[in-house]
Amino acid sequence: MTEKKSVRGQYGETLALLGEKYKDIVVLDADLSGSTKTKVFAKKFPDRFFNMGVSEQDMIGTAAGLAAAGKIPFASTFAIFATGRAWEPIRQSIAYSKLNVKIVASHGGITVGEDGGSHQSIEDIALMRVLPNMTVIVPADATEMHKVLETVVAHKGPVYVRSSRIEFPVLYDDAYTFTIGKGDVLREGTDATIVACGFMVSQALAAGDLLAQRGIRPRIINMSTIKPVDAALLVEAARETGGIVTVEEHSIIGGLGSAVAEVVSEECHVPVKRIGVQDRFGISGKPNELLECFGLTPGDIERAVLEVLDKKE
Amino acid sequence: MADSNDSKTCVSMECSREEALQRLPEEARQIRIEILKMLHQSSSGHTGGSLSATDLLTTLFFTELRHRAEDPGWEGRDRFVLSKGHAAPLYYAVLCRFGYIHADELCSLRKVNCMLQGHPDSKSTPGVEISTGSLGQGLSIANGMALGLRLNENNARTYVLMGDGEVQEGMIWEAAMTAAHYKIDNLCAMLDRNGLQIDGTVEEVMNIEPLADKWKAFGWHVINIDGHRFEQILDAFKTAKEVKGKPTIIIAKTIKGKGVSIFENKVKYHGIAPNDQELEQALKELGHKKL
Ligand SMILES: Cc1ncc(C[n+]2csc(CCOP(=O)(O)OP(=O)(O)O)c2C)c(N)n1
């Protein structure tokens, strides 16, 4: 079995590590520090940790103020509360002012599971992507989360990083380098391209295995930076493979699929099929059951690739 | 107080205060047992905050709320909003007791494609007035319902249950202003003052005291009670109905996890369901013989 590791767990570990090197890092949470893992930082640097209680808007506003005072704030809670509840303060006080705030949210997508639709964020990528000045990143495993954090802490400006409740298979080793705005081709191929982010990168790789049994070799791209999206890599993939399937644990409206479709429709027309949550809310259930229920399994991705291949011809 | 004396109006338990006081402890005990069995079945969900508010909600549904299980959308019903939506197991156990939900459904809590969502969802569960789960929004909703009822000259009342961590949300205080400004006296808010939230005690995470003074300063009539003493709960509801020209809040001092010693006052059991052993011990303490 592939090794699995918690991406939010990695956030806690890396943040505590970075806290030593960057004395200006301060961390805020809204009564979910055990779940987001900021508690690890809080234990190590109690003076640089602010639990704001259940008040996400206040947390975001305070983070903006801390950034204005020269600090590097990391603000964390569940994705839906971070980006949804506090959206307008993020827009006005962070993005508009281009302040150096890192919003790192856990519990993105439907694999939140049993808590149900109220807690499953399927809109956060769209909500953050639409904001000028905002960088949006969805790491595909714990290693990438570590690299992303090392990168964004040194990058000036607002960043949104999404992680999940479940553990992800480990895809990368320490040799991997992450660059903001660069997608990573995990598997070469010319029949079609699968572009994925987050946990769905693993699902895409599994779909690649299924397709290989049919003699079909898709190119598989981990598009961890959704904004700014790697347009050059997408155009190249469109030209060389002639069809694209996007895969995300998010609404098909406004997220990775939309970002890819925007580039492809303007730069290089090829058939695009978006796999994601189909304009509906989540429901309670076990993460694996929900992936099936919402059509996010390797088999679903395989079918989408076959559909795109049909359209190509 | 203009009671609609429609013959079918169902104040759930048509009995005297004495009879109510006799029956409520047993009803609450049964509700607690159902909550724990439900949570154990799903291996997921919120134990502490369901048990702390059990006595409040049991009393509300049995003695106070006018409602009809056979007609959940009945115009004349009093409205109830579970603002602290994570106490869904409590809500479901109460709704089941009145027949809104079939007992067989209880074991489907949090399971895929089932009726009982992790947090209350009005689309899937009869009797759930409105979907909740994101904290801090219920008081505004209750204000809107109460204002709507008033405009419609409907004398039904609106009740809302909030958590003490929940009132850290700014929206609660915006709604607190609204309720006083519009003199929403067909509204009764309840605050489950169990003193704990997720990351620790309310006091250490984000202090909310002086709580009663805050609500008073916002123009509310405040009633402080012990949220596990049924006579105090009954009296508070009675007073709330009599207060005119301002909204009323019942601040109920409670114990998170009330009724089961291993859960009582333990931060850890906010969002953890009982395992086999814990269920066994819990049921024993609640005097329930077999699983
Ligand atoms: C807007 C929002 N932020 C965060 C959460 C996550 N959450 C669920 S319960 C809870 C703590 C609530 O504490 P309290 O209101 O005291 O509930 P109780 O102790 O009565 O269960 C939090 C932060 C949420 N559901 N909604």
Side-chain angles (χ1 to χ4, degrees):
Chain A
M1 269 310 289
T2 9
E3 184 200 350
K4 284 192 174 180
K5 202 165 174 198
S6 161
V7 179
R8 59 185 163 119
Q10 186 65 56
Y11 171 51
E13 278 178 42
T14 304
L15 194 59
L17 217 63
L18 291 172
E20 289 168 20
K21 184 168 161 202
Y22 295 86
K23 301 289 178 218
D24 280 334
I25 290 181
V26 289
V27 177
L28 302 92
D29 205 300
D31 195 28
L32 286 168
S33 69
S35 293
T36 64
K37 305 299 175 188
T38 59
K39 197 172 233 165
V40 185
F41 182 95
K43 284 220 169 102
K44 197 161 158 190
F45 303 105
D47 295 344
R48 287 151 62 191
F49 175 78
F50 300 94
N51 199 328
M52 307 301 290
V54 196
S55 65
E56 297 77 12
Q57 300 178 49
D58 184 35
M59 173 177 79
I60 288 298
T62 307
L66 283 160
K71 296 292 168 192
I72 309 171
F74 281 73
S76 296
T77 174
F78 289 178
I80 191 62
F81 309 131
T83 66
R85 188 56 153 274
W87 187 83
E88 213 248 356
I90 294 174
R91 178 189 188 269
Q92 307 291 8
S93 306
I94 295 176
Y96 189 38
S97 311
K98 207 173 177 183
L99 285 172
N100 194 24
V101 175
K102 318 301 171 193
I103 301 162
V104 185
S106 68
H107 291 60
I110 55 161
T111 50
V112 163
E114 291 85 348
D115 269 350
S118 58
H119 285 53
Q120 294 165 2
S121 177
I122 49 169
E123 309 93 341
D124 53 315
I125 298 173
L127 286 169
M128 292 297 103
R129 194 171 77 87
V130 74
L131 293 173
N133 297 332
M134 185 63 77
T135 297
V136 180
I137 302 170
V138 185
D141 77 347
T143 314
E144 188 170 37
M145 173 57 105
H146 178 76
K147 302 277 176 177
V148 164
L149 293 168
E150 283 183 328
T151 308
V152 302
V153 72
H155 163 95
K156 260 212 158 22
V159 178
Y160 175 64
V161 182
R162 177 207 230 204
S163 77
S164 301
R165 180 180 161 228
I166 56 163
E167 296 188 334
F168 292 5
V170 175
L171 305 178
Y172 292 111
D173 58 29
D174 206 46
Y176 172 69
T177 51
F178 168 81
T179 311
I180 293 176
K182 291 277 172 256
D184 180 46
V185 179
L186 279 167
R187 222 175 263 182
E188 277 301 347
T190 50
D191 294 329
T193 302
I194 306 175
V195 184
C197 65
F199 174 65
M200 298 309 290
V201 174
S202 298
Q203 301 285 82
L205 289 169
D209 295 342
L210 296 176
L211 287 158
Q213 288 166 23
R214 298 172 180 267
I216 298 166
R217 310 226 163 260
R219 181 172 302 179
I220 301 178
I221 296 176
N222 168 22
M223 193 60 83
S224 42
T225 311
I226 293 171
K227 188 186 180 184
V229 78
D230 192 343
L233 190 66
L234 287 173
V235 170
E236 187 182 84
R239 291 225 168 90
E240 292 175 7
T241 72
I244 295 182
V245 172
T246 64
V247 198
E248 64 197 306
E249 206 196 313
H250 184 273
S251 171
I252 55 161
I253 300 171
L256 173 69
S258 297
V260 170
E262 285 158 18
V263 171
V264 171
S265 66
E266 283 187 353
E267 308 287 336
C268 178
H269 282 195
V270 297
V272 173
K273 172 90 188 155
R274 291 166 300 152
I275 296 272
V277 178
Q278 306 287 323
D279 198 19
R280 57 175 289 200
F281 285 107
I283 54 171
S284 289
K286 294 208 160 63
N288 274 333
E289 296 168 341
L290 295 182
L291 289 169
E292 276 197 20
C293 186
F294 284 80
L296 300 176
T297 64
D300 295 302
I301 302 169
E302 179 191 26
R303 265 191 301 284
V305 169
L306 296 177
E307 245 179 75
V308 161
L309 288 179
D310 260 359
K311 283 199 190 142
K312 258 174 76 174
E313 270 119 35
Chain B
M1 165 62 207
D3 260 306
S4 96
N5 276 325
D6 178 334
S7 62
K8 278 198 228 139
T9 299
C10 153
V11 171
S12 319
M13 195 193 269
E14 275 155 353
C15 60
S16 68
R17 182 185 149 87
E18 283 62 41
E19 284 169 311
L21 284 174
Q22 284 246 301
R23 266 185 71 186
L24 282 168
E26 175 55 18
E27 294 291 355
R29 189 181 72 93
Q30 293 293 346
I31 299 277
R32 283 194 169 90
I33 288 168
E34 288 308 327
I35 290 170
L36 291 162
K37 289 208 275 193
M38 210 187 307
L39 284 165
H40 171 256
Q41 265 278 339
S42 71
S43 315
S44 153
H46 297 83
T47 302
S50 292
L51 295 175
S52 62
T54 298
D55 297 328
L56 280 173
L57 213 64
T58 304
T59 309
L60 179 72
F61 271 75
F62 274 89
T63 70
E64 203 57 26
L65 219 59
R66 292 163 296 181
H67 62 117
R68 292 176 182 165
E70 71 286 0
D71 182 13
W74 170 49
E75 284 280 315
R77 73 192 183 282
D78 291 333
R79 289 1 183 222
F80 169 67
V81 179
L82 183 67
S83 191
K84 45 170 271 186
H86 56 278
L90 163 62
Y91 201 2
Y92 298 153
V94 169
L95 289 175
C96 177
R97 175 65 181 78
F98 285 96
Y100 289 90
I101 301 169
H102 196 276
D104 295 346
E105 288 287 344
L106 293 185
C107 63
S108 81
L109 175 71
R110 291 178 162 240
K111 301 210 167 115
V112 71
N113 288 320
C114 287
M115 181 195 269
L116 303 184
Q117 294 296 298
H119 293 78
D121 177 19
S122 53
K123 303 185 302 299
S124 38
T125 313
V128 169
E129 201 69 56
I130 191 161
S131 303
T132 52
S134 176
L135 295 169
Q137 305 190 25
L139 187 56
S140 299
I141 296 166
N143 279 342
M145 286 176 173
L147 285 169
L149 290 168
R150 191 160 86 185
L151 283 171
N152 292 343
E153 295 178 11
N154 182 331
N155 66 19
R157 291 173 56 76
T158 301
Y159 296 83
V160 53
L161 177 66
M162 300 175 285
D164 52 1
E166 179 182 15
V167 302
Q168 291 158 350
E169 285 284 0
M171 192 169 167
I172 292 287
W173 300 97
E174 298 173 25
M177 261 185 287
T178 301
H181 182 80
Y182 289 106
K183 303 186 169 49
I184 307 181
D185 56 11
N186 55 343
L187 170 81
C188 173
M190 295 166 272
L191 205 158
D192 181 2
R193 185 77 174 103
N194 60 34
L196 303 186
Q197 50 190 114
I198 293 183
D199 277 346
T201 67
V202 174
E203 193 181 3
E204 71 195 3
V205 173
M206 182 57 65
N207 183 29
I208 58 173
E209 289 294 346
L211 189 60
D213 289 347
K214 282 195 178 76
W215 288 95
K216 277 181 203 150
F218 272 72
W220 286 61
H221 180 74
V222 179
I223 305 172
N224 285 294
I225 62 165
D226 177 333
H228 302 304
R229 301 275 302 269
F230 292 102
E231 70 282 6
Q232 292 189 20
I233 304 173
L234 286 173
D235 290 346
F237 283 140
K238 184 159 176 287
T239 309
K241 269 194 289 208
E242 290 160 4
V243 173
K244 295 294 162 202
K246 49 159 74 175
T248 295
I249 183 162
I250 300 169
I251 300 178
K253 181 94 183 50
T254 58
I255 295 168
K256 201 158 173 172
K258 170 74 179 177
V260 182
S261 62
I262 43 173
F263 304 146
E264 282 191 2
N265 234 334
K266 299 251 166 52
V267 171
K268 184 180 144 197
Y269 286 98
H270 170 85
I272 294 189
N275 62 25
D276 294 350
Q277 272 177 340
E278 290 163 339
L279 180 72
E280 200 183 313
Q281 153 121 25
L283 294 184
K284 199 152 72 188
E285 287 189 22
L286 287 165
H288 184 75
K289 293 288 165 327
K290 46 180 195 290
L291 290 191

